Amino acid sequence: MTPAPAPPPQTIVIFGASGDLARRKVLPALWRLARGGHLPERYAIVGYARTGWGTDAFRAEAHRAVREAAAASFDEGAWREFEGSLSYVSGPYDEPGGFARLVEHLGGVENERSTGGRRLFYCATPPSAFPIIARRIGEAGAQRGARIVVEKPFGRDLGSARDLETVLHEVFEESQVFRIDHYLGKESVQAILVFRFANSTFERLWHRDSIDHVQVTVAESLGVEGRGVFYEEAGAIRDMLQNHLLQVLAFLAMEPPRSLEPEAIRDEKVKLLRTIRPFDPAEVVRGQYTAGSAGEVPAPAYRAEPGVAPASDVETFVAARARIDNWRWAGVPFFLRTGKRLARRATEIAVVFREVPAYLFEGQGVAPPVPNHLLIRIQPEEGISFAFQTKEPGPGFVPRVVDMDFSSRSLEAEALGDYERLLLDAMEGDHTLFIRRDEVERAWELAAPLLDCPAAMETYPAGSFGPAAADTLIAPRRWHLRAEGGSL
Ligand code: NDP
Ligand code: BG6
């Protein structure tokens, strides 16, 4: 296979370069892209934050972060080469002086490293800083020919999302804005599109006549991991349902796009989101974890985590029924579920087909009959399996459930990590895997009833699979991923 051409020369500016996201995701992703030969032939990476570092301190921090993320594959020699691309400017946001210095610094770097004038501004700060960053870029006249990457959450409800968009668009055109939802950077989420639209078999069955229901589960075993203050402002609905889960749902349920053009794909996603009914709080379960276990060790209750209010009403779990009002999906429930401190980390989609109209094998051993189901595993294992019934060898006609199983490992190809793929696409100016303004707004409209009128709070012990009410929500069906395990 011919390697994809590298993006054109450019400078990547990371705002909030002293923070968690920069350290854990952005810098390690840039390093891996450099190691894989995917970065432009000439590039520079400039960190900007208020923390009073200089370039040497930034390089030392980046070295630590990348070495930790890369573990055994870290290569000190290659680091020396990469490190030359890194520099840092310390400055504030609340007065223009810092940005004036930044722009001057950029001029020098671009000259020295011959990166031309192309710039990618990456906002790795809390969202409250996005508007001032956009304004400062505008005041400095640095938006021309530049692109800006903003991290989720895009606002905290429809009103604040619109306010944020207004400010961004005072400075940038929509074509310059790249809104990240890192779930779209995951190989196996992108693979949904290929699976659906490059194979004729399943697409013929991909509708209400054949499918009973669909489950999307994003189960995390970790708790809030020192992000208690952030999480108190978010909760599972804002942090996961409004974005990651709805994005996966859009890929699963959208109509075939007319081409792979970014706007063709994004048009279909928005069309689908518009056919989803705003969530009904009566069909949503909110939950919060109480003390329990994390693997073998005890885990505290959410309310006892640092930064969390002792009487917090913020949900760490949500399960919801989505209703899609279009010809393809009317009447087919899509059950979405996510939570922290669940029994294990697993993101999977279960597409459950209708049962046969008349079951011949009653009394032959398997009861009740297990419907055919397709499992799309997103993480930690990536793959697709299809469960069907065959005959148990021996007397009679005893059905037995078996799997046709594909694991991405069998492809023996090196995948790009989610942030690597998205950074690369942003550097190339490809919007396919980024969220458009109308998608953000529609997703907030869908979540609005849950924010305005939250469902009652259930609890679940850390280390379980969430509150019992989530089992009632899906009944008489059952979650594929559940404590006792097993097929549906
Ligand atoms: P941090 O709280 O670590 O903030 C990042 C940096 O931003 C800080 O180091 C700080 O640097 C600067 N900063 C903090 N407050 C302000 C402010 N009011 N104005 C300007 N700068 C400020 O956040 P994260 O790194 O965790 O997250 C950054 C963004 O990425 C957020 O939007 C978050 O929602 C998103 N995100 C984060 C994920 C993660 O895993 N961390 C995952 C997905 C999204 P200094 O004080 O030096 O200026
Ligand atoms: C982030 C959320 O967007 O996604 C986190 O803010 C969550 O709370 C994370 O843990 C999950 O991402 P992943 O890639 O680990 O499934």
Side-chain angles (χ1 to χ4, degrees):
M1 214 171 61
T2 355
Q10 57 196 289
T11 300
I12 300 132
V13 183
I14 307 171
F15 295 108
S18 60
D20 182 72
L21 185 81
R23 186 168 43 80
R24 283 194 313 111
K25 302 284 188 184
V26 181
L27 289 165
L30 287 167
W31 155 260
R32 283 191 297 268
L33 285 172
R35 294 288 288 141
H38 300 297
L39 283 188
E41 194 188 339
R42 295 184 306 282
Y43 66 94
I45 300 166
V46 177
Y48 183 92
R50 297 167 306 182
T51 297
W53 294 338
T55 288
D56 287 348
F58 179 54
R59 287 180 178 175
E61 291 293 332
H63 180 249
R64 222 188 325 273
V66 168
R67 201 180 44 194
E68 194 180 309
S73 66
F74 188 73
D75 176 335
E76 203 63 53
W79 171 261
R80 294 286 154 234
E81 199 179 311
F82 178 75
E83 152 180 281
S85 70
L86 299 175
S87 62
Y88 183 85
V89 176
S90 155
Y93 298 90
D94 53 8
E95 45 98 354
F99 269 57
R101 269 185 295 113
L102 173 64
V103 170
E104 196 186 323
H105 177 81
L106 287 175
V109 164
E110 285 161 355
N111 218 3
E112 191 184 312
R113 295 187 62 87
S114 308
T115 56
R118 197 177 268 109
R119 292 169 185 167
L120 182 72
F121 294 114
Y122 195 114
C123 297
T125 63
S128 57
F130 299 169
I132 188 72
I133 292 173
R135 287 209 176 98
R136 293 279 177 247
I137 292 173
E139 283 162 10
Q143 78 276 37
R144 276 185 294 276
R147 299 185 179 122
I148 186 164
V149 179
V150 286
E151 272 286 345
K152 70 159 262 282
F154 316 111
R156 48 176 290 104
D157 54 21
L158 183 58
S160 53
R162 283 189 173 147
D163 291 347
L164 171 60
E165 292 297 347
T166 305
V167 178
L168 279 178
H169 284 88
E170 277 167 14
V171 179
F172 294 97
E173 303 288 333
E174 177 66 17
S175 61
Q176 295 173 281
V177 181
F178 291 76
R179 296 176 196 80
I180 281 206
D181 180 313
H182 77 277
Y183 265 60
L184 295 186
K186 291 183 189 289
E187 280 286 352
S188 40
V189 172
Q190 296 151 28
I192 295 171
L193 292 191
V194 180
F195 179 79
R196 285 192 57 199
F197 303 129
N199 298 300
S200 61
T201 315
F202 284 103
E203 196 52 28
R204 287 173 205 281
L205 303 175
W206 214 251
H207 53 70
R208 64 196 304 277
D209 294 345
S210 311
I211 292 179
D212 176 77
H213 75 282
V214 179
Q215 308 177 9
V216 182
T217 294
V218 179
E220 295 189 82
S221 53
L222 294 178
V224 287
E225 300 304 297
R227 294 172 76 212
V229 173
F230 157 80
Y231 204 79
E232 280 285 275
E233 293 288 311
I237 293 170
R238 289 189 170 91
D239 192 37
M240 301 291 290
L241 179 70
Q242 187 270 349
N243 35 75
H244 302 325
L245 282 161
L246 284 177
Q247 287 299 319
V248 172
L249 172 57
F251 268 15
L252 278 174
M254 68 190 232
E255 294 301 316
R258 63 183 184 277
S259 72
L260 284 184
E261 287 297 306
E263 295 323 318
I265 292 178
R266 301 200 301 175
D267 285 348
E268 289 305 333
K269 283 168 66 196
V270 178
K271 230 168 80 188
L272 188 274
L273 291 173
R274 290 202 176 118
T275 65
I276 302 178
R277 260 186 242 176
F279 290 104
D280 177 352
E283 294 182 327
V284 170
V285 173
R286 286 198 315 139
Q288 191 187 75
Y289 62 83
T290 53
S293 61
E296 303 294 296
V297 295
Y302 173 67
R303 289 177 178 187
E305 301 270 16
V308 172
S312 172
D313 184 46
V314 170
E315 74 285 340
T316 56
F317 175 98
V318 63
R321 174 181 175 150
R323 292 177 183 266
I324 305 181
D325 290 328
N326 64 19
W327 278 47
R328 189 191 276 261
W329 295 118
V332 178
F334 281 71
F335 295 101
L336 312 178
R337 175 176 64 150
T338 184
K340 293 207 182 278
R341 278 273 183 257
L342 297 185
R344 65 188 173 92
R345 175 173 184 248
T347 297
E348 67 162 42
I349 297 157
V351 178
V352 183
F353 292 89
R354 289 188 186 280
E355 287 176 15
V356 291
Y359 194 59
L360 297 176
F361 305 98
E362 215 69 65
Q364 294 278 332
V366 176
V370 175
N372 292 153
H373 52 277
L374 186 73
L375 288 182
I376 303 177
R377 297 186 301 273
I378 311 280
Q379 60 190 22
E381 292 293 307
E382 294 178 30
I384 300 177
S385 62
F386 179 66
F388 63 102
Q389 301 196 44
T390 187
K391 181 185 170 299
E392 177 77 42
F397 288 95
V398 180
R400 172 164 158 184
V401 184
V402 291
D403 286 331
M404 286 198 276
D405 198 16
F406 156 71
S407 162
S408 298
R409 262 178 298 150
S410 65
L411 298 177
E412 291 179 1
E414 190 148 336
L416 286 179
D418 38 26
Y419 275 86
E420 288 160 63
R421 171 67 195 260
L422 294 174
L423 273 161
L424 193 57
D425 284 4
M427 280 186 259
E428 277 167 350
D430 182 340
H431 274 98
T432 311
L433 299 175
F434 294 86
I435 316 294
R436 209 165 62 185
R437 179 181 188 165
D438 47 2
E439 285 182 71
V440 174
E441 294 193 0
R442 180 59 189 161
W444 281 120
E445 281 170 6
L446 298 181
L450 308 183
L451 304 176
D452 296 344
C453 179
M457 183 70 83
E458 308 283 337
T459 57
Y460 61 99
S464 68
F465 259 112
D471 299 334
T472 312
L473 177 77
I474 200 174
R477 305 153 176 113
R478 293 192 299 172
W479 293 105
H480 176 262
L481 199 67
R482 55 182 190 269
E484 67 273 26
S487 264
L488 281 157

